[in-house]
Amino acid sequence: MKSVITVIKEQIEHFYLVRRLSLYELKSSNSNNYLGMAWELINPLIQVAIYWFVFGYGIRKRADITLENGLEVPFLQWMLAGIIIWFFFYQSTIKGSKSIYTRLRMLSKMNFPMSVIPNYIIFSQFYIHAALGIITILVMQFSGFPINIYYLQFIYFIFATFMFIFALALVTSTLATIIRDVQMFLQATLRMLLYLSPILWQVSSIDNEFIQLVMKINPLYYLIEGYRAGFFGIGWYFIENWEYTLYFWAVTGMLLIIGSTIHVKFRRHFIDFL
């Protein structure tokens, strides 16, 4: 727990630096494009269109999705409510895992905690997530799903998503610095994870109970279903499913402890891997 307290304290003390670096990261990564940061929204929107055409219309036209409360939701809106979490998670995890070893030369000349690096990378992706969230809200308004009281739980789920990604990034960024193959393994795993998350199909529509179990123990299931509960006004998901809330924070807490411990232990040796 000492390592966890150290890492969290570093994030709080250097929050201003995290915010500034995250904006710089977002701008610098798109500085050579004519459309600039607009590509950060164009790319995911193109992917949404492709997934909707392939899984919701082109190959096999999907009927409306029936939610737990009996509400029928068009496939596009149902998918959009979940996939915005995936874009945030995927980009943050991939970029966060290589955030330290790709910046070792810079770190050798800077004087701030290395745990800040994955955090500001994740924070830079949060701006994109917020923009996609606004677009999703607008789509919902024009689709007959107005803003409701359950939108308040987005505050909780945004925090939960951020903590889960940060805890995972601490683990992967440390391991990827020591063993570069971790980056390749992570990319392959995340490609598979997209289809093991309830983004493109409902868990209840799958007959195989084992696959259902695998999808439900995936922490992304909790976050995605929580977002959908807010967008469609189903209920207070994190309260009504308190067992899953405890499970999610147990997994996140374990990752945070492991990530903080190995990060603090090995970061003084990171420069040796330059």
Side-chain angles (χ1 to χ4, degrees):
M1 289 300 296
K2 183 178 179 181
S3 298
V4 175
I5 294 173
T6 298
V7 169
I8 293 177
K9 185 178 179 181
E10 289 172 350
Q11 310 313 305
I12 296 174
E13 291 178 350
H14 295 85
F15 179 74
Y16 176 72
L17 179 64
V18 169
R19 187 171 59 85
R20 288 191 59 187
L21 289 175
S22 64
L23 289 172
Y24 173 78
E25 175 72 18
L26 196 58
K27 293 177 181 178
S28 62
S29 61
N30 294 281
S31 59
N32 295 326
N33 301 325
Y34 285 111
L35 296 180
M37 288 187 289
W39 280 111
E40 298 290 351
L41 294 178
I42 294 173
N43 278 329
L45 291 177
I46 291 175
Q47 290 184 55
V48 167
I50 293 173
Y51 289 141
W52 171 75
F53 180 78
V54 173
F55 293 96
Y57 182 79
I59 295 178
R60 181 182 178 184
K61 188 172 182 179
R62 292 275 183 101
D64 290 348
I65 303 296
T66 302
L67 304 180
E68 293 179 358
N69 63 350
L71 179 67
E72 291 190 350
V73 178
F75 178 76
L76 176 61
Q77 284 78 354
W78 179 83
M79 179 186 68
L80 188 59
I83 203 170
I84 59 173
I85 281 279
W86 172 257
F87 289 139
F88 181 34
F89 169 78
Y90 179 81
Q91 292 296 332
S92 298
T93 302
I94 289 295
K95 294 183 179 181
S97 65
K98 59 183 179 181
S99 60
I100 292 180
Y101 77 76
T102 56
R103 292 168 175 80
L104 284 177
R105 293 185 183 276
M106 179 189 74
L107 289 172
S108 64
K109 303 175 183 178
M110 303 296 287
N111 186 23
F112 56 80
M114 292 185 182
S115 64
V116 168
I117 304 299
N119 194 5
Y120 86 72
I121 296 298
I122 297 170
F123 217 90
S124 69
Q125 295 302 308
F126 174 72
Y127 298 124
I128 304 167
H129 178 64
L132 289 174
I134 293 173
I135 293 174
T136 303
I137 291 174
L138 293 176
V139 171
M140 295 299 176
Q141 302 312 300
F142 289 105
S143 304
F145 303 102
I147 295 175
N148 57 78
I149 187 65
Y150 299 112
Y151 269 45
L152 291 176
Q153 65 188 315
F154 285 144
I155 299 173
Y156 163 79
F157 279 106
I158 288 172
F159 174 75
T161 303
F162 201 97
M163 288 300 298
F164 174 68
I165 296 174
F166 177 67
L168 182 61
L170 278 178
V171 176
T172 57
S173 62
T174 301
L175 295 179
T177 302
I178 300 172
I179 308 172
R180 301 298 166 82
D181 289 5
V182 170
Q183 178 70 21
M184 302 304 297
F185 174 78
L186 183 63
Q187 291 181 12
T189 302
L190 290 184
R191 292 192 190 100
M192 178 181 63
L193 191 61
L194 171 63
Y195 300 100
L196 291 177
S197 302
I199 298 172
L200 302 174
W201 43 63
Q202 280 182 298
V203 174
S204 58
S205 66
I206 301 174
D207 295 330
N208 191 305
E209 294 184 0
F210 176 74
I211 295 179
Q212 283 191 22
L213 177 63
V214 170
M215 294 181 71
K216 287 183 177 180
I217 64 175
N218 175 6
L220 286 178
Y221 176 89
Y222 174 76
L223 299 173
I224 291 170
E225 291 301 308
Y227 260 55
R228 285 178 176 147
F231 278 122
F232 300 121
I234 300 174
W236 302 105
Y237 188 84
F238 66 101
I239 297 176
E240 296 171 0
N241 297 272
W242 61 270
E243 301 97 334
Y244 213 138
T245 298
L246 293 178
Y247 166 75
F248 172 82
W249 284 109
V251 173
T252 301
M254 182 179 64
L255 287 174
L256 185 60
I257 292 173
I258 295 173
S260 299
T261 301
I262 62 176
H263 176 85
V264 172
K265 180 177 181 180
F266 289 104
R267 65 182 176 182
R268 68 186 63 181
H269 305 294
F270 282 163
I271 201 65
D272 298 335
F273 297 95
L274 183 64

